[in-house]
Amino acid sequence: MMLQPGSILHWDWYKNHEGREVITSIMHRNMHRRKVFGLLERPSLPPHLTPDEYRYKIFVSGKGAVGKTSTVAKLSGNEVPTMHSETPGIQTSVVYWPAKIVKLDKVVMFQLQFWDAGENALKKFDHVLPACKDQADAVMFMFSFVDKGSFDDLPHQMSRILEPSEDVCKFVMGTNS
């Protein structure tokens, strides 16, 4: 069944009073950047606005220097690094993404937990990959459009990271890093 664009979410709900209250809870006062939340933190909302929360753990995978950390930083409202440096170990970032569902006429809050591990940390430490995969809902495989090798490596990445029996959402994202 094909849905019409805009038929699931109210795209401009954030412009009304209710939407502004929710957006204010996840943005800094100047409304130009998102607040940074840790794994155990959450936005502070007024009691009359307690949206249902849906949590998703997303493991970010790809060769070194394809833009994994920069992409997560951009999505989470953090400063995008200007210089490449290998991610040491595991870096987690939490993004709260509110939306208003048309059919339900209610606001929901998506909590996206991005787990970014450096390529060398995955190879060097046996516990890093299992920690990233534990209870993951999705794996975002990344490649760079300017590094053909990173694209060619995707099948190897997928077979190394996931077993055929693992039931997680898999998606691929390209960057221009």
Side-chain angles (χ1 to χ4, degrees):
M1 178 170 91
M2 187 67 137
L3 297 173
Q4 296 297 318
S7 63
I8 296 175
L9 301 176
H10 283 286
W11 290 104
D12 60 352
W13 71 271
Y14 63 91
K15 294 178 182 175
N16 68 29
H17 179 70
E18 175 190 48
R20 283 192 302 270
E21 281 187 282
V22 173
I23 295 297
T24 301
S25 73
I26 63 170
M27 301 295 285
H28 286 285
R29 287 183 191 247
N30 63 12
M31 299 296 275
H32 293 293
R33 288 190 15 178
R34 289 178 173 273
K35 290 179 182 174
V36 177
F37 295 97
L39 288 174
L40 301 177
E41 298 172 305
R42 62 183 322 141
S44 177
L45 291 164
H48 68 281
L49 277 177
T50 309
D52 292 342
E53 192 171 291
Y54 298 93
R55 294 185 179 118
Y56 296 97
K57 179 179 176 180
I58 303 166
F59 172 38
V60 183
S61 176
K63 283 180 65 176
V66 296
K68 298 182 299 290
T69 302
S70 295
T71 299
V72 172
K74 184 74 171 171
L75 290 171
S76 60
N78 292 321
E79 184 112 1
V80 176
T82 56
M83 294 180 61
H84 173 263
S85 63
E86 174 82 18
T87 302
I90 303 170
Q91 180 176 321
T92 60
S93 301
V94 177
V95 177
Y96 282 91
W97 212 285
K100 186 162 188 174
I101 310 296
V102 171
K103 281 191 176 183
L104 302 176
D105 194 37
K106 70 185 231 179
V107 175
V108 297
M109 186 75 79
F110 294 101
Q111 182 202 57
L112 306 175
Q113 297 178 3
F114 291 98
W115 288 58
D116 175 13
E119 188 176 29
N120 288 329
L122 286 170
K123 291 176 183 174
K124 187 175 179 180
F125 303 109
D126 293 339
H127 67 280
V128 172
L129 181 58
C132 290
K133 289 174 44 175
D134 184 43
Q135 298 182 7
D137 298 293
V139 178
M140 179 167 60
F141 293 98
M142 297 191 65
F143 72 96
S144 171
F145 286 107
V146 297
D147 177 6
K148 184 178 181 318
S150 68
F151 181 78
D152 294 340
D153 190 53
L154 284 174
H156 171 70
Q157 286 275 337
M158 291 177 183
S159 65
R160 186 171 63 90
I161 300 296
L162 294 173
E163 300 294 324
S165 61
E166 290 182 278
D167 185 29
V168 298
C169 177
K170 305 160 201 74
F171 60 100
V172 176
M173 178 183 282
T175 69
N176 61 358
S177 292

